[in-house]
């Protein structure tokens, strides 16, 4: 119990090197794919925290000071601020929380790799993603008699989320559209551009778990986001409306653990900006009559994954395991022209020391 005031600080600096000269592959520095400018960010987080009994409160702010980020003709501004607020309260088996967060996320090759594992490395811009607010309100119950329940509602607003990488720079086979692409007539669709996509909207989620003891456990979670272009909750390039995960484990004998997992990402769409030819060569982003560029969309098939794993623990520190993924052997497109792999089997040894 008690209160604390403090200041957290973090500094990140990144530098890139090109193949020759300044590495610019396009006339505009917005398309500086080979050698983006080096940049950095200092994040200061002043805060005040208070704890009494089962109540925990933290009030603070993320203050981001960026240097040299973004294309030279349109730098990411020096100063950004976002809340860093937590309120957690528990009364017996019931917990209530409210988290208000945000801030600037550096756009790096590593962060893009997390969004699209198969893309070739390439940065259209180093402009960070700014999230003025990432809010979540939730409640949880338990555990009681092995049962735990939780539910939450979230709202998030993010500006200039980077779009797909170089692997799918153009949503077409040469001059032919990817089947199912919905785009205005007379435009081209690039998935890699320096503008990024601003997305804001709600997410609803719930989870449940039943863990009666050594015999096994059952866990499930589901979330819903009403995705439609700029409206929605960013949860990956494929922007699924429904996400469902179910996992069950069984211990028929003490050393053996069997685990079955089911995953579903439903009603998936990707979005990309539209471009029109300009006189003298090249393209320019296509507007919709307002200040916003127009978007093209592509419906992707639902993803369904069924996995099975087994682990035999000889001791608490030494075990062997075997895992089979995608038992249904589905090859649905994760992203355009990127089918998921079929059945895959892996195994290994785990030794903790």
């Amino acid at each position: 119990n008690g209160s604390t005031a403090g200041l957290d600080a973090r500094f990140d600096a990144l530098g890139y090197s090109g193949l020759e000269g300044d590495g610019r592959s396009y006339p505009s520095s917005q398309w500086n794919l080979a050698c983006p400018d080096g940049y950095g960010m200092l994040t200061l987080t002043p805060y005040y925290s208070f704890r009494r009994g089962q109540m925990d409160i933290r009030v603070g702010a993320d203050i981001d000071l960026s240097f040299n980020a973004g294309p030279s003709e349109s730098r990411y501004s020096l100063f950004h601020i976002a809340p860093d607020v937590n309120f957690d309260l528990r009364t017996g088996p019931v917990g209530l929380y409210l988290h208000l967060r945000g801030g600037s996320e550096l756009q790096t090759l590593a962060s893009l790799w997390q969004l699209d594992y198969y893309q070739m490395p390439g940065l259209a811009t180093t402009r960070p993603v700014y999230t003025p607010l990432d809010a979540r309100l939730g409640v949880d119950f338990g555990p009681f008699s092995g049962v735990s329940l939780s539910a939450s509602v979230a709202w998030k607003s993010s500006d200039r989320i980077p779009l797909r990488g170089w692997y799918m720079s153009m949503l077409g086979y040469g001059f032919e559209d990817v089947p199912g692409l919905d785009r205005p007539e007379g435009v081209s669709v690039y998935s890699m551009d320096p503008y990024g996509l601003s997305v804001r909207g709600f997410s609803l989620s719930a989870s449940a778990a039943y863990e009666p003891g050594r015999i096994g456990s059952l866990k499930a979670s589901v979330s819903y986001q009403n995705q439609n272009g700029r409206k929605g909750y960013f949860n990956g390039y494929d922007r699924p409306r429904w996400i469902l995960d179910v996992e069950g484990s069984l211990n028929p004998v003490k050393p053996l653990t069997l685990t079955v997992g089911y995953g579903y990402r439903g009603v998936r769409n990707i979005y990309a900006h539209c471009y029109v030819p300009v006189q003298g060569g090249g393209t320019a982003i296509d507007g919709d009559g307002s200040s916003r560029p127009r978007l093209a969309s592509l419906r992707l098939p639902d993803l369904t994954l069924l996995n099975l794993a087994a682990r035999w623990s000889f001791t608490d520190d030494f075990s062997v395991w075997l895992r089979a993924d995608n038992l249904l052997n589905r090859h649905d497109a994760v992203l355009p022209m990127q089918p998921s792999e079929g059945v895959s089997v892996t195994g290994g040894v785990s030794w903790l020391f």
Side-chain angles (χ1 to χ4, degrees):
N1 295 333
S3 60
T4 304
L7 174 67
D8 295 335
R10 174 177 174 174
F11 180 72
D12 293 280
L14 298 97
Y16 300 92
S17 59
L19 298 177
E20 59 183 46
D22 66 356
R24 297 180 188 270
S25 301
Y26 292 83
S28 170
S29 61
Q30 284 187 324
W31 291 89
N32 187 0
L33 303 177
C35 181
D37 295 328
Y39 70 108
M41 181 176 295
L42 173 64
T43 300
L44 302 175
T45 309
Y47 69 89
Y48 171 79
S49 63
F50 174 79
R51 175 177 294 179
R52 174 174 293 178
Q54 298 298 310
M55 181 173 64
D56 192 354
I57 299 175
R58 173 188 169 104
V59 179
D62 276 349
I63 302 171
D64 299 317
L65 305 175
S66 61
F67 310 93
N68 216 42
S72 58
E73 66 272 23
S74 179
R75 292 295 190 200
Y76 187 69
S77 59
L78 169 68
F79 178 83
H80 289 81
I81 188 169
D84 184 5
V85 176
N86 291 344
F87 173 79
D88 296 89
L89 175 64
R90 177 162 290 277
T91 303
V94 181
L96 177 68
Y97 64 89
L98 172 64
H99 297 164
L100 306 175
R101 297 170 182 165
S104 297
E105 179 184 355
L106 296 176
Q107 188 175 156
T108 64
L109 294 176
S111 65
L112 294 177
W113 174 83
Q114 292 178 333
L115 290 172
D116 182 2
Y117 177 85
Y118 293 99
Q119 71 175 335
M120 293 178 63
L123 286 172
T125 175
T126 56
R127 178 184 295 276
V129 178
Y130 175 49
T131 300
L133 181 61
D134 182 1
R136 183 174 295 272
L137 174 65
V139 60
D140 58 73
F141 304 89
F144 48 90
S145 301
V147 177
S148 300
L149 303 172
S150 67
S152 66
V153 56
W155 191 89
K156 185 176 181 180
S157 172
S158 294
D159 295 330
R160 296 205 175 191
I161 299 170
L163 298 180
R164 280 163 301 287
W166 189 241
Y167 177 82
M168 272 306 303
S169 62
M170 197 168 183
L171 298 182
Y173 308 102
F175 295 102
E176 298 292 330
D177 287 341
V178 172
L181 180 65
D182 182 13
R183 65 166 177 83
E185 186 176 355
V187 304
S188 300
V189 181
Y190 301 105
S191 60
M192 187 177 188
D193 63 54
Y195 298 97
L197 186 63
S198 297
V199 179
R200 49 189 48 84
F202 286 94
S203 174
L204 303 174
S205 61
S207 64
Y210 178 55
E211 300 178 79
R214 188 194 65 81
I215 191 173
S217 64
L218 180 63
K219 302 176 182 178
S221 63
V222 61
S223 65
Y224 171 80
Q225 301 82 25
N226 184 21
Q227 309 278 21
N228 184 14
R230 298 175 181 85
K231 296 180 180 179
Y233 192 92
F234 187 78
N235 52 8
Y237 284 143
D238 57 344
R239 303 276 299 277
R241 185 173 299 175
W242 291 97
I243 301 176
L244 173 66
D245 290 294
V246 181
E247 180 180 282
S249 65
L250 181 65
N251 299 103
V253 294
K254 185 176 181 180
L256 178 63
T257 302
L258 301 175
T259 303
V260 177
Y262 173 83
Y264 172 76
R265 294 173 72 89
V267 193
R268 303 188 307 135
N269 286 276
I270 61 172
Y271 300 90
H273 288 138
C274 298
Y275 287 83
V276 293
V278 296
Q279 188 175 4
T283 58
I285 199 164
D286 184 40
D288 61 0
S290 67
S291 60
R292 299 188 307 178
R294 288 198 287 182
L295 295 176
S297 64
L298 176 65
R299 178 74 159 86
L300 295 172
D302 296 350
L303 289 182
T304 300
L305 291 175
L306 181 63
N307 309 315
L308 176 64
R311 178 180 293 271
W312 187 278
S313 300
F314 294 95
T315 67
D316 292 339
D317 300 326
F318 182 75
S319 62
V320 295
W321 57 271
L322 186 68
R323 180 180 177 91
D325 293 316
N326 196 8
L327 292 176
L328 301 178
N329 196 32
R330 300 184 61 150
H331 296 268
D332 297 320
V334 179
L335 289 174
M337 291 187 261
Q338 184 187 312
S340 59
E341 62 181 349
V343 178
S344 63
V345 179
T346 56
V349 177
S350 177
W351 181 24
L352 303 177
F353 58 92

